[in-house]
Structure formats: C-alpha cells, structure tokens
Amino acid sequence: MRIPLPPVPLPEHLLDVAREYDDGTRTAAQPRDAATVVVMRDGADPATGPEVYLLRRQVSMDFAGGMAVFPGGGVDQRDFDASVAWAGPDAADWARRLGTDTELARALVCAAVRETFEESGVLLAGESADTVVADTTGDDWEADREALVSRDLAMTDFLNRRGLVLRTDLLGTWDGWLTPVFEPKRYRTWFFVAVLPEGQRTRDVSTESSSVTWLPAGVAAEQADSGSLAMLPPTYLTCLEVGTHASSAEVLAEAEGRTVEMFCPSVEPLGEGWTLSMPDRLRPLVAERRRS
C-alpha cells in the first residue's frame, strides 16, 4: 500500500470536500488529544540517523490502518491524575513546552509514558529521579501492561504499587500535528522523543500492530519514498527530520529548545493543482529530498 507523501496533488473529490468545510457546509469532527513517542537508539550509520521504533498498524484499524507509526494513543481521563509520582520538569514547564495548560500538559506526559509502555514494553520510569527500570520483560510486568491496556489499572496506581516515578526528563518535545478538518476521525497529537533506556528492550506486544521494526530514521523515510513502507505525512516528515541528526543525543539536544505550535495541514496551491501544506521549517528538507 503506497501513501503519497508531501507535496502531492490532492484529488479533485478530496478538494471538493475540503472546500465544503471551508464554506461551512460541513462541520469538522472534534479532535481527540493524543501523544506519540519517537523511541530511538543509535544505529550503525550516522548518515541515516538514529534508529526509530515503528509499529505497522493492523489493516483493519479504522484510523491509519496498515500505516507504520510510532507508539502512542489518545489521552485517558485518568492521565489527568495530579497525584502521579513525577520526576523531571514540572507540569508548568511542560505546559510552556507543549503550549497547553498545566492539567493537559501533565496528562499528555503521562499518556506518552503509558502508551509507550503499552505498545512497546518500554517504561520511562524508575525508583528515583536518577534511576530507570532496567527490565520489563517478566510475567508480572506483562500482567500490569495488559491491565493498563484494558484500563483495569490506572497509570498512577501502577507506578505507586511498584514504587516508581515517571522520568519525565527522559522525554523531549518534538512537534504537534492536528488532523486536517476534512478527516472523519481527528487527533491533536503531541510528538515526543526518547532514547531506549539502557537494559530495556522493545517487544512486539501491541494488539493494534501486525509487526514492529527498528529502522534508521533516514532509511524509514527512503522506504516510504519507494512505497515499501506506508506512512502518514507527519510520521514521514518526523523520520525525515530525525534522520538528519547523527545520533539520538543530537535529537534530544534539539528537542531541549523546542516548543510546540500545533500544525493543521490546509489546502494550498501546487503548480496547477492543490496540495496539503506542511510546516515551513520542513519545506527545504522536503524540496532537497525531491531533488535527490
């Protein structure tokens, strides 16, 4: 399955639908808040960037079916629990970085850590502010992970019972994407970056994915270009940008100074036709890609 990657012409029927939202004929679906995490580890070739962990979603999924995605998902109401054990930048600092109020910032960070554990087995938490869990592959960990997925267990209770704190300092701020207005299912998604903690390993545990893989970010973008790996534009553009960095440490250093301005693609001219817009900072990168 090949998904056209930016910039590509919009088909006429989709352009007509987009115009109906612009003129008020149709009402856009209310987006759901979500968090996704680019889990990284250093690869063998700095030229193709750090490796990123990708899940290929089940084709039957009603959103992004068959697409390669990063671990992530929607914010759960219990992610707003202010009593969650916490280490690293406080909620006010995260609110500044993410462009939200403190309550939503706390929920987004909790959702990012929870969803990463649920979908990859990677847990960004430790017994103290300067330690991190070394292994989450035991049967007891798996039972807790499944209970989190089913919502039989809340993240706060999971951490408290194990004497763990969220290591929010292990997350970096990267980007924000809002699904276009003409999509029937929409998400307001904050993108985070994180390095695979030492001693931990990812596992193929997500029921929403048909397969998982580690790929250098640049190689993932190349496979998307060739049509062998299907991605939505935000995933592709993130791989493209992450792939310009030689190491995961460089990506985290870049993330340190970032704040999120949520970007919603809109219709814009492309030659004699129309396409979807992208953040201005990524236009030179995509243009260079198309020339090579």
Side-chain angles (χ1 to χ4, degrees):
M1 179 179 185
R2 183 166 187 173
I3 298 296
L5 297 169
V8 294
L10 280 178
E12 191 63 33
H13 75 276
L14 190 55
L15 181 59
D16 290 340
V17 172
R19 286 169 174 160
E20 290 179 5
Y21 284 100
D22 286 342
D23 65 22
T25 304
R26 298 195 188 202
T27 302
Q30 187 66 27
R32 182 184 178 188
D33 292 328
T36 190
V37 180
V38 185
V39 181
M40 306 175 292
R41 68 185 185 189
D42 287 335
D45 184 1
T48 54
E51 295 182 345
V52 296
Y53 184 72
L54 293 165
L55 305 92
R56 193 187 298 266
R57 285 171 64 85
Q58 300 281 3
V59 175
S60 59
M61 299 295 292
D62 60 356
F63 182 82
M67 301 291 104
V69 299
F70 305 117
V75 173
D76 184 86
Q77 188 59 40
R78 290 181 293 182
D79 292 327
F80 286 87
D81 188 347
S83 68
V84 65
W86 188 282
D90 62 21
D93 193 7
W94 277 109
R96 177 189 61 79
R97 300 183 191 193
L98 302 177
T100 69
D101 59 38
T102 55
E103 288 75 19
L104 180 55
R106 181 185 295 108
L108 287 166
V109 170
C110 289
V113 174
R114 175 180 54 76
E115 287 283 347
T116 300
F117 181 54
E118 288 180 7
E119 295 202 333
S120 72
V122 172
L123 183 59
L124 304 177
E127 294 181 353
S128 66
D130 55 3
T131 62
V132 65
V133 173
D135 182 19
T136 63
T137 59
D139 291 343
D140 57 333
W141 287 103
E142 182 59 16
D144 281 348
R145 191 196 64 78
E146 291 179 349
L148 286 167
V149 171
S150 65
R151 300 298 181 261
D152 291 332
L153 179 64
M155 189 68 173
T156 300
D157 295 336
F158 163 64
L159 294 172
N160 287 344
R161 190 175 69 196
R162 287 184 171 272
L164 300 175
V165 296
L166 285 182
R167 286 290 308 276
T168 73
D169 56 309
L170 299 181
L171 286 169
T173 307
W174 196 251
D175 216 342
W177 287 84
L178 175 58
T179 313
V181 295
F182 51 78
E183 292 287 351
K185 197 166 189 177
R186 304 179 69 214
Y187 291 91
R188 184 186 294 106
T189 305
W190 280 259
F191 281 60
F192 298 83
V193 292
V195 176
L196 178 68
E198 185 176 354
Q200 290 194 34
R201 56 188 176 91
T202 53
R203 292 175 290 134
D204 187 357
V205 292
S206 174
T207 58
E208 295 182 356
S209 67
S210 58
S211 62
V212 299
T213 187
W214 281 99
L215 281 176
V219 172
E222 289 172 0
Q223 291 189 8
D225 284 331
S226 69
S228 62
L229 188 65
M231 290 182 180
L232 292 174
T235 310
Y236 169 76
L237 291 168
T238 299
C239 284
L240 199 58
E241 191 174 19
V242 168
T244 64
H245 297 275
S247 67
S248 55
E250 279 193 13
V251 177
L252 287 181
E254 167 72 18
E256 190 66 27
R258 287 199 174 194
T259 56
V260 172
E261 293 184 11
M262 192 62 56
F263 182 81
C264 181
S266 59
V267 175
E268 68 178 21
L270 176 66
E272 296 182 358
W274 300 86
T275 189
L276 286 178
S277 63
M278 70 181 81
D280 287 342
R281 77 171 193 281
L282 297 176
R283 292 180 187 273
L285 191 59
V286 171
E288 179 183 349
R289 185 78 168 188
R290 293 298 176 252
R291 288 193 297 267
S292 61

